[in-house]
């Protein structure tokens, strides 16, 4: 599979890069996701992959891998940790500050793909991971023998034929940890800078799944200090480099059974991470004893929303989500 | 389409190449440098037969990078492991332990093993599984590959001793 024709650009600074994005990405409305004139690339493990399949066909590719401004990992005065979006996953997994202060993020980073991928893939790239679908994630030749879908400019979904939107799945691991850590993203363009919580960044739409507008790029991730217990679990068909069938991140304060603040998020079963509410309220009232955990687990049934049979049957995903939530809550309690 | 000039140091030799925007590092290694040990497999980053090492001795999937991304950088391919006609210890281990069958994945497997051993000279089972998860072999079932990896440290010491002895 050859890469589609495009021009490659390698700016030497962030400001040069943002100017370039503004020049190249002009004239496209925020909803014209598939008509991208420009795609930023860092490690390339997702961008090149999608270009091989002909799903990304940008006219221009802008390399941000070497931008020095995106390489930092620093501790701010208030104890927050700020990470450049261009940091390699392998470097973050080995970073002293991160390992000591944010173990749940390290768990998520270690779970990403393989060592080969983590040696060049970046945190920003994982946060901006494209959604996936067993139908569409095949070669252009394979798809040429069939109808298109929403992602390939046909008004049709092969997973849910009656659907009006794309249901491709978001399989990214790190966003789950970042959400329970209450992290926020710095997004820059030539026009300015904005901050958005990771929890607010994703939309349950397989195509427009991120709040990222023309000319914008993710530059930094800021994580407030966290002393709470936190855990990340990933469930894959095989140990190794599979994308997860389901994954969960959880956080709670207190010790043992006692807790007054809980966060839970389930990933890989839908187009966006699912931030759970009901089970957290139950646990905050009743603590982390076995009965409370069981009640909380059963309550997620109503919070998952419509799940598709994509990659696993919806009934399986619902059951998997319950199992993962149960396991992660027990793990939190056992952290002490 | 316009060509760009880039430099790439491959196995210690710095060279200049004229490349297209759309060329990958794998394309340059095979077609321009002419080193066909590094293989083209899935081209999507799952199989690992395109694995080379960067200048830090880490495993890199050459099919997933633009060639121009590596302008000015230094890489090692399978052909670069031997020194003065002598196999590297990991290569010798693969031979001794029968870790090669059809041989198609072998360059990618050895470069992955080399990167693993650069980081963990005496890796645990878990480190071996983690480090090698990114490369697939359809013939060997990975058993003898892991045997070879486990014996790299010992073989490496033996080769060093032998070289010192020969020099003396």
């Amino acid at each position: 599979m050859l890469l589609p024709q495009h021009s490659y650009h390698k700016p030497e600074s962030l400001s040069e890069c943002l100017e370039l994005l503004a020049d190249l990405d002009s004239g496209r409305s925020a909803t014209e996701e598939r008509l991208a004139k420009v795609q930023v690339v860092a490690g390339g493990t997702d961008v090149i992959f999608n270009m091989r399949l002909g799903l990304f066909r940008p006219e221009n590719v802008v390399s941000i891998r070497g931008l020095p401004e995106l390489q930092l990992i620093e501790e701010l005065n208030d104890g927050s940790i700020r990470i450049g979006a261009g940091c390699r996953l392998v470097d973050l997994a080995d970073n002293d500050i991160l390992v000591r202060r944010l173990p749940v993020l390290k768990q998520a980073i270690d779970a990403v793909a393989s060592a080969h991928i983590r040696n060049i893939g970046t945190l920003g790239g994982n946060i901006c991971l494209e959604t996936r679908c067993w139908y569409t994630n095949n070669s252009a030749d394979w798809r040429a023998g069939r109808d298109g879908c929403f992602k390939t400019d046909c008004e049709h979904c092969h997973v849910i034929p009656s659907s009006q939107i794309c249901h491709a799945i978001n399989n990214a691991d790190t966003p789950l940890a970042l959400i329970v850590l209450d992290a926020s993203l710095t997004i820059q363009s030539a026009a300015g800078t904005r901050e958005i919580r990771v929890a607010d960044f994703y939309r349950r739409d397989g195509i427009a799944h991120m709040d990222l507008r023309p000319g914008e790029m993710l530059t930094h991730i800021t994580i407030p200090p966290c002393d709470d217990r936190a855990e990340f679990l990933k469930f894959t068909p095989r140990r190794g480099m599979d994308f997860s069938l389901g994954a969960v991140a959880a956080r709670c304060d207190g010790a043992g059974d006692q807790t007054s603040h809980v966060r839970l998020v389930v990933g890989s079963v839908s187009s966006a991470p699912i931030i759970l509410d009901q089970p957290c309220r139950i646990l905050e009232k009743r603590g982390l004893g076995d009965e409370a955990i069981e009640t909380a687990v059963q309550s997620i049934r109503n919070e998952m929303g419509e799940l598709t049979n994509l990659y696993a049957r919806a009934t399986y995903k619902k059951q998997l989500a319950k199992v993962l939530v149960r396991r992660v809550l027990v793990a939190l309690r056992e952290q002490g | 389409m316009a060509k760009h000039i880039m430099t790439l140091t491959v196995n210690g030799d710095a060279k200049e190449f004229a490349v297209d925007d759309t060329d990958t590092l794998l394309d340059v290694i095979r077609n321009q440098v002419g080193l066909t040990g590094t293989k083209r497999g899935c081209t999507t980053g799952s199989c690992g037969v395109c694995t080379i090492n960067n200048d830090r001795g880490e495993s890199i999937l050459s099919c997933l990078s633009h060639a121009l991304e590596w302008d000015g950088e230094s890489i090692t391919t399978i052909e670069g492991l031997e020194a003065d006609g002598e196999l590297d210890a990991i290569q010798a281990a693969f031979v001794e332990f029968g870790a090669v069958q059809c041989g198609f994945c072998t360059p990618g497997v050895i470069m992955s093993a080399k990167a693993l051993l650069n980081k963990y000279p005496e890796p645990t089972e878990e480190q071996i599984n983690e480090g090698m998860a990114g490369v697939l072999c359809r013939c060997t079932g990975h058993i003898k590959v892991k045997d070879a990896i486990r014996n790299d440290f010992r073989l490496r010491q033996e080769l060093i001793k032998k070289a010192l002895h020969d020099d003396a």
Side-chain angles (χ1 to χ4, degrees):
Chain A
M1 292 176 268
L2 296 175
L3 293 179
Q5 286 299 317
H6 61 276
S7 298
Y8 172 91
H9 309 263
K10 193 163 183 178
E12 293 185 357
S13 71
L14 180 57
S15 52
E16 185 190 334
C17 180
L18 295 175
E19 288 303 323
L20 190 56
L21 291 184
D23 284 338
L24 295 173
D25 218 345
S26 57
R28 174 171 72 98
S29 75
T31 55
E32 288 175 279
E33 297 285 339
R34 292 299 103 197
L35 302 175
K37 291 194 171 154
V38 58
Q39 176 66 52
V40 297
V41 65
T45 57
D46 196 47
V47 169
I48 304 278
F49 170 77
N50 277 282
M51 288 178 75
R52 290 272 189 209
L53 300 183
L55 295 177
F56 285 2
R57 292 181 170 272
E59 292 172 18
N60 298 282
V61 170
V62 176
S63 166
I64 61 173
R65 176 174 161 245
L67 292 182
E69 297 90 337
L70 304 185
Q71 297 300 321
L72 58 82
I73 310 171
E74 62 183 5
E75 208 162 329
L76 305 179
N77 286 334
D78 66 351
S80 295
I81 293 171
R82 191 165 168 78
I83 303 174
C87 287
R88 297 189 309 164
L89 292 167
V90 66
D91 293 329
L92 293 175
D94 289 342
N95 177 273
D96 218 33
I97 304 174
L98 196 142
V99 170
R100 213 174 2 101
R101 299 275 315 279
L102 303 170
V104 67
L105 182 56
K106 175 172 167 64
Q107 282 178 318
I109 288 170
D110 283 342
V112 174
S114 63
H116 296 61
I117 299 274
R118 296 193 298 273
N119 285 341
I120 200 162
T122 60
L123 181 59
N126 190 248
I127 291 168
C128 296
L129 199 74
E130 177 65 4
T131 56
R132 296 168 62 249
C133 168
W134 59 256
Y135 181 83
T136 307
N137 281 40
N138 284 293
S139 69
D141 289 338
W142 186 93
R143 292 197 310 272
R146 292 160 173 80
D147 296 335
C149 69
F150 286 114
K151 261 205 191 183
T152 53
D153 295 325
C154 288
E155 299 295 301
H156 185 49
C157 172
H158 293 267
V159 177
I160 300 191
S162 58
S163 178
Q164 301 299 311
I165 61 165
C166 169
H167 288 275
I169 304 284
N170 185 329
N171 288 107
D173 296 314
T174 59
L176 307 183
L178 292 171
I179 287 172
V180 298
L181 289 171
D182 220 10
S184 56
L185 307 175
T186 304
I187 294 175
Q188 298 195 41
S189 69
T193 303
R194 62 184 177 100
E195 297 282 319
I196 181 168
R197 295 170 63 229
V198 180
D200 298 328
F201 182 63
Y202 296 104
R203 298 188 201 113
R204 206 151 164 172
D205 178 328
I207 294 180
H209 69 286
M210 297 184 289
D211 183 1
L212 205 57
R213 302 158 202 169
E216 286 189 329
M217 63 180 263
L218 167 63
T219 58
H220 299 88
I221 299 95
T222 307
I223 305 153
C226 172
D227 288 321
D228 293 344
R229 297 171 279 182
E231 187 89 17
F232 169 85
L233 294 176
K234 176 173 177 174
F235 184 81
T236 51
R238 300 161 293 193
R239 289 178 60 200
M241 65 177 282
D242 278 341
F243 284 103
S244 60
L245 283 178
V248 67
R251 166 189 181 164
C252 73
D253 64 359
D257 281 14
Q258 195 277 322
T259 186
S260 59
H261 182 65
V262 181
R263 295 212 79 188
L264 269 171
V265 59
V266 175
S268 283
V269 298
S270 173
S271 303
I274 302 176
I275 301 174
L276 300 175
D277 186 57
Q278 264 273 73
C280 298
R281 301 295 86 80
I282 292 170
L283 296 165
E284 284 162 0
K285 241 192 266 180
R286 297 177 47 185
L288 292 173
D290 284 342
E291 278 182 36
I293 287 180
E294 211 40 51
T295 312
V297 161
Q298 296 310 320
S299 78
I300 76 172
R301 187 184 342 129
N302 303 320
E303 293 212 21
M304 304 299 289
E306 181 188 40
L307 296 182
T308 66
N309 290 337
L310 184 50
Y311 292 118
R313 292 191 150 271
T315 46
Y316 180 87
K317 288 187 200 180
K318 282 181 190 154
Q319 179 62 15
L320 178 60
K322 284 193 206 166
V323 169
L324 289 178
V325 168
R326 184 182 299 118
R327 282 185 191 172
V328 81
L329 291 173
V330 171
L332 282 186
R333 184 177 67 200
E334 281 173 6
Q335 279 190 31
Chain B
M1 147 164 301
K3 292 232 182 229
H4 305 268
I5 305 294
M6 65 173 277
T7 46
L8 185 67
T9 302
V10 184
N11 303 329
D13 286 326
K15 291 209 175 97
E16 273 193 352
F17 304 99
V19 304
D20 285 331
D21 293 54
T22 52
D23 284 334
T24 61
L25 180 60
L26 178 63
D27 294 331
V28 169
I29 291 169
R30 289 181 58 84
N31 302 338
Q32 298 214 41
V33 187
L35 295 175
T36 55
T38 311
K39 304 302 183 196
R40 183 188 314 277
C42 69
T43 70
T44 52
S46 307
C47 75
V49 300
C50 69
T51 302
I52 51 119
N53 284 6
N54 63 12
D55 61 1
R56 287 188 251 194
E58 295 166 326
S59 46
I60 297 291
L61 298 164
S62 60
C63 72
L64 285 186
S65 268
H66 286 88
L68 287 168
E69 194 61 60
W70 292 80
D71 186 11
E73 299 208 35
S74 172
I75 63 167
T76 309
T77 67
I78 186 70
E79 293 88 349
L81 279 196
E82 57 142 328
D84 301 320
E86 297 289 322
L87 291 180
D88 183 87
I90 187 60
Q91 291 172 302
F94 267 59
V95 171
E96 180 173 326
F97 286 87
V100 180
Q101 289 189 27
C102 81
F104 187 78
C105 75
T106 301
V109 171
I110 288 183
M111 295 312 289
S112 304
K114 186 80 188 135
L116 164 68
L117 291 159
N118 286 337
K119 195 166 181 179
Y120 305 112
E122 292 181 275
T124 62
E125 283 310 290
E126 198 178 323
Q127 285 165 341
I128 294 175
N129 290 338
E130 266 293 313
M132 298 301 285
V135 62
L136 302 173
C137 172
R138 290 295 276 131
C139 294
T140 66
H142 306 94
I143 308 275
K144 294 185 186 216
V145 166
K146 289 173 66 173
D147 286 345
I149 290 170
R150 275 186 223 104
N151 282 274
D152 172 84
F153 187 79
R154 176 183 58 79
L155 270 172
R156 200 168 292 276
Q157 306 312 307
E158 283 173 16
L159 285 174
I160 291 170
K161 275 197 208 128
K162 181 175 179 297
L164 286 172
H165 181 267
D166 289 348
D167 281 347

